[in-house]
Amino acid sequence: ATQPLISGIMQRDSLSGFMVLSISEQWGAGKIFQRFADNQINIEFATQVTKNLDSNSLVLCVDNKNTCSALTLLEELKPVISASMIYPFNSVGIVSVFPHREHALISSLVIQTLLTAHIRPIAMASSISVVSCVIEENQISQAISHISKRFGLG
């Protein structure tokens, strides 16, 4: 079997993240995105998980320069979106892997590679065009090194 190929790796550091738990307002994520856009805060990463029809949770990341503003906006929105908790985490980054065409194993190999290197992603999002993992910022270089080695880059 041919090893799945990736066309590249990208990193983004100097980020802060937030986990917004148990949003019971149907349009909660949309309200967060709109409030951030209104305040010129770019969301670098977002993934939402719906537990059931009445509740979902969201993980999002913003540039460190927007940490305080983002947290203030989330705290203001908390009662509006009926969120149970906002959990901030600092000093994170994103490592993104770009699959070369369609290769079903890429997501699995990326997560296995990180876990084998004792790097535990805080969040992960995968699509046909990119696999992105939010990890501790101090592990980015190590993650890129292991992924590069795994996929035969450099």
Side-chain angles (χ1 to χ4, degrees):
T2 302
Q3 180 177 354
L5 300 174
I6 62 173
S7 58
I9 303 171
M10 184 179 88
Q11 75 179 60
R12 177 71 171 93
D13 53 16
S14 301
L15 300 175
S16 294
F18 304 92
M19 193 174 300
V20 185
L21 301 176
S22 301
I23 303 168
S24 60
E25 157 61 42
Q26 180 180 2
W27 301 103
K31 289 179 180 180
I32 291 170
F33 295 162
Q34 185 62 55
R35 185 72 65 91
F36 277 44
D38 291 346
N39 286 274
Q40 302 300 307
I41 298 174
N42 189 41
I43 297 172
E44 305 278 342
F45 175 93
T47 188
Q48 179 177 310
V49 177
T50 301
K51 292 189 285 188
N52 54 48
L53 295 177
D54 298 325
S55 179
N56 60 74
S57 295
L58 177 71
V59 174
L60 57 94
C61 294
V62 301
D63 190 285
N64 278 342
K65 70 181 181 194
N66 295 314
T67 302
C68 292
S69 299
L71 183 56
T72 298
L73 293 174
L74 289 171
E75 291 293 348
E76 289 172 1
L77 282 169
K78 186 177 173 185
V80 175
I81 61 174
S82 302
S84 67
M85 183 178 167
I86 297 167
Y87 176 72
F89 43 94
N90 297 316
S91 302
V92 297
I94 301 168
V95 172
S96 298
V97 175
F98 298 90
H100 181 69
R101 301 194 184 148
E102 294 182 42
H103 292 285
L105 279 176
I106 298 292
S107 295
S108 174
L109 292 174
V110 168
I111 197 73
Q112 287 175 24
T113 301
L114 293 176
L115 291 173
T116 299
H118 306 287
I119 299 169
R120 185 173 172 211
I122 297 165
M124 180 180 179
S126 180
S127 71
I128 197 165
S129 60
V130 66
V131 178
S132 294
C133 297
V134 177
I135 62 174
E136 296 290 333
E137 188 172 34
N138 63 2
Q139 296 179 316
I140 290 175
S141 295
Q142 182 185 6
I144 289 174
S145 175
H146 284 276
I147 292 169
S148 294
K149 183 177 177 183
R150 175 65 181 95
F151 290 100
L153 301 177

